[in-house]
Every structure is written in structure tokens, then in C-alpha cells.
Amino acid sequence: KRCQQNSERLLKFNRQLEGSVLENLMPIITTITTITITNAGDTITIKEKEEAMSRSNQPFRFKQFEVCHSRSSMKVGVDAVVLGAWADIESANNILDVGCGCGVIALMCAQRNPSVIITAIDIDDSSVAEASYNFEMSPWSERLCAKAENFMELSCCGSKNDFYGYDYIISN
């Protein structure tokens, strides 16, 4: 009975959030530890396959790809998943992902926009190596690139501005 009540509350809550971040998340996520959504005092916590997220040596699985995150400085977390699902990147041609960690946000953006080119940078060599591996294993490998670069050292002034080539800069 308790499960049925929770399911009914979730369905009601889902209908209230049509067009919101929850709608963007559900088609992408197949495994997540915990996500909490609050609306008008009503809080719902969704838990699925808690074990998969608790071990950093296991890949985090999405519907169309998986992410290894055992070596990178930034593991897969709810903030990255929400940002990857919520960012308005449909009109983007080129995205710079700053502090990419394992590359989860870049992968989610590549999944959501079939023509975007994404450059992911990080100062941690292990993160860049793991993001590169995750990109190579994805269906969008030809549109993803990971580089060991420091955002603070990128040119931001003058006629040859490194940022001019990017429609969006994304980071969590």
C-alpha cells in the first residue's frame, strides 16, 4: 500500500512538473542514487539501484551510454546530471565544458544535441584520460574532445579570443 501511495504521489507530482527538469531527466537517467525534488512543500525522493552509485569503480549507466568515474576528480553526481539535463543547449554548435571530470555533462549534451561539437577541459590528467575513454566509448565520439588545459590560462582578450568559437561554456 505504501509503494502504491508513493507511486501515485510521484505520478501526480510528475504531471505538475511537465516541461520542467524532471521531464528532461527521466528519458536520460536509468541509474541514480538519490534525487530530491521539492514543489509547493511536497518533497519526493526517487531511489534506484543505490548500489551502482555507491561504488565509484562501477560505471554509471545512462540509457544510451555509460560513464566510468573511478579515476577522475569529479565523479558523477546529482548536480552534474541535473545540469546536463537542464542546460538549454539545443541551439548550440560548439560547447566548452570547463572542469569536465569524467565527462558526464559533455556526454549528456552530446546526447541531447545531435550536431554540437564539445571540447571538455580539465587540469587533472587522470580526469582528462577518463573523459577521453568515456568519449571514445560513446556513440558521439567524433563530436567530443577532452584536453588537459587550465581555463584560467585560456586567452580571453584580443582579436584571437579562444572563447569566440564557443556558443556556451558549461561547468558545475
Side-chain angles (χ1 to χ4, degrees):
K1 184 176 179 179
R2 186 179 212 187
C3 288
Q4 183 180 4
Q5 288 173 339
N6 287 340
S7 294
E8 289 169 4
R9 287 182 67 212
L10 180 59
L11 288 173
K12 178 184 170 192
F13 197 67
N14 194 11
R15 283 191 291 269
Q16 291 173 350
L17 294 176
E18 274 186 4
S20 70
V21 71
L22 184 62
E23 186 176 278
N24 289 328
L25 281 174
M26 289 311 189
I28 297 170
I29 300 172
T30 58
T31 306
I32 191 163
T33 300
T34 305
I35 185 167
T36 303
I37 302 164
T38 304
N39 184 22
D42 194 11
T43 302
I44 294 179
T45 301
I46 305 166
K47 291 185 178 182
E48 296 180 21
K49 299 183 182 177
E50 194 166 339
E51 181 182 336
M53 202 37 207
S54 65
R55 292 190 206 143
S56 64
N57 61 344
Q58 291 185 354
F60 189 91
R61 289 178 178 78
F62 291 80
K63 284 192 175 186
Q64 295 182 27
F65 65 94
E66 67 181 30
V67 178
C68 294
H69 59 132
S70 63
R71 297 182 294 154
S72 65
S73 60
M74 293 298 296
K75 311 295 186 212
V76 175
V78 173
D79 58 333
V81 174
V82 170
L83 179 59
W86 185 56
D88 183 16
I89 50 93
E90 282 73 27
S91 64
N93 294 312
N94 292 291
I95 294 175
L96 176 63
D97 180 1
V98 178
C100 65
C102 63
V104 65
I105 295 173
L107 286 160
M108 291 180 74
C109 290
Q111 176 182 337
R112 293 180 52 226
N113 181 332
S115 61
V116 71
I117 305 296
I118 302 168
T119 303
I121 64 171
D122 204 301
I123 58 173
D124 181 64
D125 290 334
S126 296
S127 295
V128 173
E130 194 158 52
S132 294
Y133 173 80
N134 288 330
F135 294 168
E136 288 173 25
M137 302 309 293
S138 79
W140 316 286
S141 59
E142 71 283 350
R143 299 187 290 120
L144 294 160
C145 174
K147 297 179 180 181
E149 290 190 34
N150 186 336
F151 178 75
M152 299 305 289
E153 294 173 2
L154 292 177
S155 172
C156 64
C157 302
S159 60
K160 298 285 183 182
N161 187 334
D162 286 343
F163 301 140
Y164 287 161
Y166 299 106
D167 304 309
Y168 295 93
I169 298 174
I170 194 164
S171 183
N172 67 325

